[in-house]
Amino acid sequence: MKRATIKDIAREANVSLATVSRALNHDPCVTDAMQARVLETARRLGYVPNSIAKSLKTNSTYTIGFLVSDISNSYYISIARTVEDIVSRQNYNLMLCSTGNRQDRELDYLQMMMSKNIDGLILNTTGLNNDFILEMNRKTPMVLLNRRIMLPEFKGDLIDTNSYLGCYQLTKQLLALGHRKIFAVRGPAHLSNSFERFQGFVDAMSEAGVCVDKNYPYVYTGEFTLKSGVDAIRHLVGMQDRPTAILSQNNMMTIGILEELRRSMIRIPEDISLASYDGISNMDLMITRPTSAGFDMAAIGEQVGQSILSRIKNPDMPSREYIFAPTIIPGNSLGIPRD
């Protein structure tokens, strides 16, 4: 079957090619009635725009890449949904990919996106491909989500939550209840948000007279994944002197922690308290609701979407940062230490 063209639309709607072109591009000079007429004709003929020809004409593919570490994380799903709503209003498509925090997969996706000449990139980086990202950044506008690239050559925006403050405040709550043996379940040390969250914990503990150094036994370093949460509790179960509280520094870790605590028949908060950075979807429906540092996902997604559009429009603007403050959401997971 022959593909419909704008010539077919013009002939069928009895208008000029110029009018069809303007209507399809939502030119305000076209009346509402004329635009509706052209769009209805295009729909009836099954017209599909030729994106390759359009990109050659406009030097734009109208595609924005969005590369995240874990697409199963509800945090990124919520943000991606808001971003897509925003950029679609400007006729951009969102290309969403998940790296699984793997260096090789991230590099493959970055190379693929570069080959497709995307107009902009939203990146939740693994922190392991900085050389390639810097090279790509020379021509591609970028917005970083939650994880910094600590290099002065990088130009772009950072949209982040206040990692330090969130974990600092959660730790202070645990300390106020009398906990001193707090098990910190953290992410990879090379990631900026993992470092900042852990530092918030360390500083709060220091203020309470507890030194978190290499001899402090209650730290588990893993990935920001459900599996790492499970592994952390298996490590905890093997301790001779167990902690009285857990500070999980990622919501996926928290889900794994909850699952493994249940399997190990360790009760919350009777046997151990639990605080979590980032909330969990539908937490109100859960029997155990961890006290958490929560954030306005819609506002974060809105800022990500607006930032990438503005950087595409003006690639040479100075780098900017937008850091969102936490709200501590009380749950039923905190209690006083048993010993």
Side-chain angles (χ1 to χ4, degrees):
M1 183 177 178
K2 183 183 176 182
R3 178 173 178 166
T5 68
I6 62 171
K7 290 182 179 179
D8 298 324
I9 299 171
R11 183 172 57 253
E12 188 74 15
N14 195 27
V15 296
S16 69
L17 288 173
T19 298
V20 173
S21 179
R22 285 194 289 266
L24 292 175
N25 287 286
H26 303 280
D27 191 317
C29 294
V30 179
T31 65
D32 291 344
M34 181 58 73
Q35 181 164 308
R37 176 177 163 187
V38 170
L39 292 178
E40 170 57 25
T41 304
R43 185 200 63 76
R44 182 160 43 82
L45 294 177
Y47 172 75
V48 178
N50 187 330
S51 59
I52 296 176
K54 186 175 182 180
S55 68
L56 290 173
K57 182 178 179 181
T58 63
N59 196 30
S60 172
T61 59
Y62 283 89
T63 302
I64 295 172
F66 193 169
L67 195 50
V68 301
S69 56
D70 183 5
I71 195 59
S72 67
N73 191 328
S74 60
Y75 174 86
Y76 296 119
I77 295 172
S78 296
I79 290 175
R81 186 181 300 117
T82 302
V83 171
E84 186 172 35
D85 286 344
I86 291 168
V87 302
S88 65
R89 296 172 201 156
Q90 302 297 322
N91 298 318
Y92 284 95
N93 297 307
L94 198 65
M95 181 189 297
L96 182 61
C97 301
S98 180
T99 66
N101 269 318
R102 284 173 43 186
Q103 179 182 9
D104 59 337
R105 184 178 294 177
E106 179 184 60
L107 184 58
D108 286 344
Y109 280 135
L110 288 170
Q111 290 173 335
M112 178 269 290
M113 290 179 177
M114 193 172 182
S115 71
K116 291 185 178 296
N117 197 30
I118 59 172
D119 294 320
L121 175 64
I122 302 162
L123 178 61
N124 174 236
T125 178
T126 65
L128 300 172
N129 289 302
N130 285 346
D131 288 345
F132 186 85
I133 291 168
L134 284 179
E135 180 65 26
M136 190 174 177
N137 182 229
R138 293 171 61 187
K139 295 183 178 180
T140 305
M142 291 188 185
V143 168
L144 300 178
L145 178 59
N146 292 124
R147 300 175 182 178
R148 299 174 183 270
I149 292 180
M150 305 291 288
L151 296 170
E153 306 97 306
F154 178 82
K155 183 170 64 176
D157 293 345
L158 171 70
I159 317 297
D160 201 359
T161 57
N162 195 325
S163 296
Y164 176 93
L165 183 60
C167 280
Y168 177 86
Q169 291 179 338
L170 290 171
T171 306
K172 295 290 276 189
Q173 284 210 4
L174 292 171
L175 289 166
L177 289 169
H179 294 281
R180 293 299 181 271
K181 296 186 291 185
I182 302 174
F183 186 39
V185 183
R186 62 169 301 183
H190 71 274
L191 294 176
S192 64
N193 57 344
S194 177
F195 173 82
E196 291 163 4
R197 292 174 195 182
F198 189 66
Q199 195 59 47
F201 165 74
V202 170
D203 287 354
M205 294 289 279
S206 177
E207 290 174 8
V210 181
C211 179
V212 179
D213 57 15
K214 63 180 181 180
N215 297 315
Y216 182 81
Y218 305 115
V219 176
Y220 182 87
T221 301
E223 302 291 334
F224 284 141
T225 61
L226 187 150
K227 181 179 183 301
S228 281
V230 170
D231 291 343
I233 299 307
R234 290 176 179 171
H235 177 73
L236 178 152
V237 169
M239 293 180 180
Q240 187 172 1
D241 184 17
R242 291 186 183 180
T244 62
I246 301 168
L247 174 63
S248 171
Q249 298 185 4
N250 167 266
N251 58 348
M252 294 302 291
M253 285 177 157
T254 300
I255 294 172
I257 287 168
L258 288 167
E259 289 184 0
E260 193 61 23
L261 285 174
R262 179 181 56 79
R263 281 191 287 264
S264 301
M265 293 186 290
I266 299 174
R267 300 169 301 168
I268 304 171
E270 293 85 357
D271 300 324
I272 198 164
S273 291
L274 173 64
S276 170
Y277 192 89
D278 287 341
I280 299 171
S281 294
N282 301 315
M283 192 168 68
D284 289 344
L285 303 178
M286 299 171 61
I287 296 174
T288 302
R289 300 180 298 279
T291 293
S292 61
F295 300 89
D296 187 338
M297 308 300 238
I300 294 172
E302 175 86 18
Q303 188 60 65
V304 172
Q306 296 297 344
S307 289
I308 193 61
L309 288 174
S310 65
R311 295 210 74 86
I312 291 171
K313 184 177 181 180
N314 183 8
D316 295 324
M317 68 170 58
S319 296
R320 304 170 298 182
E321 290 190 2
Y322 301 92
I323 310 298
F324 288 79
T327 298
I328 301 302
I329 303 170
N332 60 2
S333 64
L334 303 186
I336 61 173
R338 292 189 64 185
D339 56 354

